[in-house]
Amino acid sequence: MIKRWVYRTQPEPEVITKLSEAINVNPTLCAVLLQRNIKDFIAAKSFFRPTLDMLHDPFLMKDMSIAVERLEAAMERKEKILIYGDYDVDGTTSVAMFYDFVSSIYPYVDFYIPDRYMEGYGVSQKSIEWASENGFSLIITLDCGIKAMDPIQTARQKGIDFIVCDHHRPGSELPPAVAILDPKREDCAYPYKELSGCGVGFKFMQAFSSTKGLSEEKLFGYLDLLAVSIASDIVPVTGENRVMVHYGLQRLNSDPRPGLRALIRLSGQKNELDISGIVFGVGPRINAAGRISHAKSSVELLLAKSEAEAAHFAQKVDVKNDERRSFDSNITQEALEMIEKSDNIKSAKSTVLFKHDWHKGVIGIVASRCIEKYHRPTIILTASNDKATGSARSVPGFDVYNAIANCSDLLLQYGGHRYAAGLTMDLSKVVDFQEKFEAEVSRNITDEQLIPKIEIDNELSLSQITPKFFNILRQMGPFGPENMPLVFVAHNVRAVKDSTKILKDKHVKFTAKEDGSTKMMDAIGFGLATYYKMIDSGMPFKLAFTIEENRYMGNVTLQLNVKDLKFN
């Protein structure tokens, strides 16, 4: 797929020089820091040396005092408390974190994860009945609840209070809960709006801990779970999230809880774990249980207290992950064939596909896979409980949540974010929805948004890449949304003769060398094997790349991760 290269605007040379002299960092990297709004020594110090005292006061969040008081009252009155969360990574890490925290200081607590297939997303009526029958009078939701109008109203009638901890966009009305913690509330002045669901739960724990004089060391012990939630839910790695991920990754790489340690081992991580390692190695395994059977086993794994217990649950989860991969592969192939066989679908500006028997647990992954080949907003639908239910994914710059909201007259429910959402409709509405969503996307998406882009941070000669340069570059992480790995471009690059190889029929590896320079570097392009002949021909090209460490048989070297090539 042809990609467009977008070069970030370079700051004025004198501004770059000023910052470079102030912080003693290479001008090439200083230009990137300025692009990311890091303009002086103080901002650079906060960026390179984040500290936990940079976390915001949790009581700045609307309803926080009310939530703390209600939880205190429940404990004083010995009420039964139910911790309720969604079945994805953000939800299960949230539940494991909050349940572990509360159960360590209070005995009358349990947790509940809805069944993806029987109950669906969010707060279910079935869960309210179960809570009522089992004597719970306070339910704390994590990563869901902001649109649970009817279930929370039913709970009130049964004498059950709710505290909602969510990070999704609210609807026009808020549910009748005792307290609603959601930084995306219009009336919430909390200074950082992009917390994960687990992050909102963590702020609640932080507020409760400060009120009760509980140990900060205990609180910060949950940052490993928090880092997994932030990475897996694809929220921005900026501000408060970046601070929490910075320390969470330290814990994951030094002393993770037994369940996460077992998952890291199973994922085969060879390098130090980073956000990418969580997204592609740890997160999918946590998700797999909820996608294929029931997410309760993921929570049990995350709550495991011993290595043996963790290994037992991790093995069960890994089996589910293998099943998930099989479903994912087969359904993706079917979905791509459906697109290829229909000229109307191929030429559309959106993709909406429906098949009765697709596995509900992997349709979000399939939507992402379709975007890899057809770069446009995509919704994959399947039948569940006599309804059509689906997952939406989007492309950079296009708000798929708004597009779905503008089709809400055809929907029973929907929710989510700018780039990922879920929705449910009557089976009879699928065709109408396909047409209306396509019209909505066509009206609002730009031609540029339909072409995948690579944002180039700066030009960089291969001769500038040294261990010292990479050491500073690495400190600009953790990398993730809105603080992505730096992409550089080098000119007049060629492959050293006889160095080009194809790996696993789809990747290409070669040794790169710029004209006029003796510096050579190994380079690997994942999924770029189609360029093999042109690279091997010795033709010069422009190279877009990131820099990474390659660890092999005890040796650590720097290599280029090729994002794209343009031949001269």
Side-chain angles (χ1 to χ4, degrees):
M1 187 184 291
I2 294 174
K3 300 180 178 70
R4 58 190 174 97
W5 292 16
V6 178
Y7 289 80
R8 294 186 190 274
T9 302
Q10 294 299 307
E12 294 297 324
E14 59 270 21
V15 180
I16 297 173
T17 301
K18 183 179 178 182
L19 181 62
S20 179
E21 290 173 351
I23 66 174
N24 193 28
V25 167
N26 179 295
T28 301
L29 295 178
C30 281
V32 178
L33 290 171
L34 287 160
Q35 290 166 350
R36 300 185 184 202
N37 208 34
I38 298 157
K39 299 178 179 178
D40 54 32
F41 177 85
I42 293 172
K45 183 180 179 183
S46 295
F47 184 75
F48 283 108
R49 301 289 182 267
T51 60
L52 289 167
D53 60 14
M54 292 165 62
L55 299 180
H56 301 302
D57 178 355
F59 287 99
L60 294 173
M61 195 176 292
K62 179 78 173 177
D63 280 2
M64 186 61 81
S65 295
I66 300 170
V68 170
E69 287 169 10
R70 181 64 185 88
L71 181 55
E72 282 186 303
M75 290 182 174
E76 287 169 7
R77 295 195 291 251
K78 294 184 170 51
E79 295 179 53
K80 288 184 73 175
I81 301 169
L82 188 63
I83 312 301
Y84 187 108
D86 186 24
Y87 37 67
D88 68 2
V89 181
D90 194 11
T92 50
T93 52
S94 299
V95 168
M97 174 190 73
F98 209 93
Y99 173 80
D100 190 74
F101 173 78
V102 174
S103 64
S104 69
I105 56 175
Y106 183 74
Y108 309 113
V109 60
D110 203 347
F111 69 87
Y112 189 103
I113 306 284
D115 185 284
R116 181 188 289 264
Y117 305 100
M118 301 302 294
E119 296 170 83
Y121 171 79
V123 182
S124 68
Q125 292 288 355
K126 179 184 174 183
S127 69
I128 302 300
E129 296 299 328
W130 185 88
S132 178
E133 289 166 6
N134 287 277
F136 290 92
S137 54
L138 176 63
I139 299 177
I140 300 172
T141 71
L142 297 149
D143 190 37
C144 60
I146 196 64
K147 287 190 171 182
M149 304 293 294
D150 292 341
I152 293 178
Q153 182 59 46
T154 300
R156 281 187 68 183
Q157 293 165 359
K158 293 178 177 292
I160 301 171
D161 284 342
F162 263 79
I163 297 172
V164 170
C165 303
D166 206 344
H167 69 131
H168 297 96
R169 291 192 211 177
S172 56
E173 272 188 272
L174 294 175
V178 170
I180 298 173
L181 308 178
D182 188 336
K184 290 192 176 77
R185 285 178 63 167
E186 287 187 8
D187 59 349
C188 181
Y190 193 74
Y192 188 71
K193 301 294 184 181
E194 302 299 335
L195 294 169
S196 64
C198 192
V200 176
F202 181 82
K203 299 308 294 189
F204 187 8
M205 286 164 44
Q206 186 184 10
F208 187 83
S209 294
S210 68
T211 300
K212 304 297 285 184
L214 301 178
S215 160
E216 276 199 337
E217 184 180 346
K218 175 183 172 63
L219 180 72
F220 294 144
Y222 294 104
L223 288 172
D224 54 354
L225 288 170
L226 192 48
V228 171
S229 90
I230 291 168
S232 300
D233 218 50
I234 323 295
V235 292
V237 184
T238 57
E240 205 167 20
N241 280 346
R242 187 168 176 273
V243 174
M244 293 187 289
V245 169
H246 175 86
Y247 285 95
L249 283 170
Q250 286 184 4
R251 188 168 185 86
L252 282 166
N253 284 299
S254 61
D255 186 28
R257 65 195 58 247
L260 290 176
R261 187 191 303 278
L263 288 175
I264 293 167
R265 283 191 191 127
L266 280 173
S267 67
Q269 296 289 328
K270 295 177 182 175
N271 299 339
E272 189 173 84
L273 189 69
D274 58 10
I275 283 184
S276 178
I278 295 172
V279 170
F280 295 106
V282 176
R285 285 171 168 79
I286 297 174
N287 249 336
R291 293 187 185 281
I292 304 303
S293 55
H294 199 286
K296 185 176 182 182
S297 57
S298 291
V299 177
E300 289 169 334
L301 166 63
L302 297 174
L303 290 171
K305 298 301 182 187
S306 70
E307 298 288 331
E309 186 184 10
H312 169 71
F313 283 118
Q315 198 59 51
K316 286 171 63 177
V317 166
D318 205 45
V319 168
K320 298 300 179 188
N321 191 48
D322 288 341
E323 290 180 42
R324 187 270 307 167
R325 281 179 177 159
S326 177
F327 284 124
D328 167 12
S329 176
N330 294 336
I331 295 171
T332 297
Q333 186 176 342
E334 285 187 39
L336 293 175
E337 286 174 358
M338 285 172 70
I339 298 171
E340 284 295 320
K341 288 176 181 176
S342 169
D343 290 338
N344 286 340
I345 298 176
K346 274 182 78 172
S347 62
K349 293 190 176 179
S350 69
T351 299
V352 181
L353 302 178
F354 169 76
K355 194 162 183 277
H356 272 84
D357 62 351
W358 279 343
H359 199 288
K360 184 180 176 184
V362 299
I363 53 178
I365 300 171
V366 173
S368 297
R369 299 269 191 259
C370 290
I371 288 176
E372 289 172 10
K373 184 162 185 181
Y374 300 95
H375 189 77
R376 60 201 190 193
T378 297
I379 299 175
I380 304 295
L381 296 159
T382 187
S384 177
N385 297 326
D386 297 322
K387 301 287 187 289
T389 186
S391 287
R393 298 293 184 268
S394 194
V395 296
F398 186 80
D399 192 329
V400 74
Y401 177 91
N402 275 352
I404 291 169
N406 290 337
C407 304
S408 60
D409 59 308
L410 299 172
L411 303 176
L412 296 171
Q413 65 181 66
Y414 65 96
H417 310 286
R418 181 178 176 84
Y419 293 123
L423 62 162
T424 304
M425 68 193 82
D426 287 324
L427 290 167
S428 61
K429 301 291 186 183
V430 169
V431 174
D432 290 343
F433 178 82
Q434 286 172 317
E435 293 173 357
K436 187 164 186 176
F437 184 76
E438 169 63 18
E440 187 66 30
V441 172
S442 298
R443 188 163 49 248
N444 292 294
I445 202 165
T446 66
D447 290 339
E448 283 191 337
Q449 288 169 344
L450 290 166
I451 303 171
K453 71 175 178 178
I454 295 176
E455 291 189 302
I456 307 293
D457 290 289
N458 212 337
E459 295 186 1
L460 184 71
S461 168
L462 302 188
S463 61
Q464 293 177 262
I465 302 172
T466 63
K468 180 181 177 182
F469 181 92
F470 181 74
N471 185 47
I472 297 171
L473 176 66
R474 177 164 48 190
Q475 292 176 56
M476 294 177 68
F479 295 111
E482 297 187 27
N483 187 47
M484 295 299 286
L486 277 63
V487 179
F488 299 105
V489 64
H491 299 270
N492 297 315
V493 177
R494 300 176 198 261
V496 172
K497 186 175 173 58
D498 297 328
S499 70
T500 312
K501 299 179 179 66
I502 290 180
L503 307 176
K504 297 183 179 178
D505 297 326
K506 54 185 177 181
H507 314 309
V508 64
K509 189 172 185 180
F510 59 94
T511 302
K513 180 177 177 296
E514 284 173 304
D515 289 349
S517 172
T518 59
K519 174 89 175 209
M520 293 186 288
M521 290 197 70
D522 287 338
I524 186 163
F526 293 100
L528 297 178
T530 51
Y531 287 112
Y532 170 78
K533 287 186 178 179
M534 295 178 76
I535 295 170
D536 193 50
S537 71
M539 292 172 59
F541 48 84
K542 287 190 291 187
L543 186 67
F545 62 91
T546 60
I547 308 168
E548 63 187 20
E549 283 183 329
N550 179 38
R551 296 173 182 265
Y552 181 70
M553 295 183 70
N555 296 318
V556 182
T557 57
L558 297 182
Q559 72 175 8
L560 311 179
N561 186 324
V562 180
K563 298 303 175 184
D564 199 21
L565 310 97
K566 290 191 182 296
F567 289 86
N568 297 350

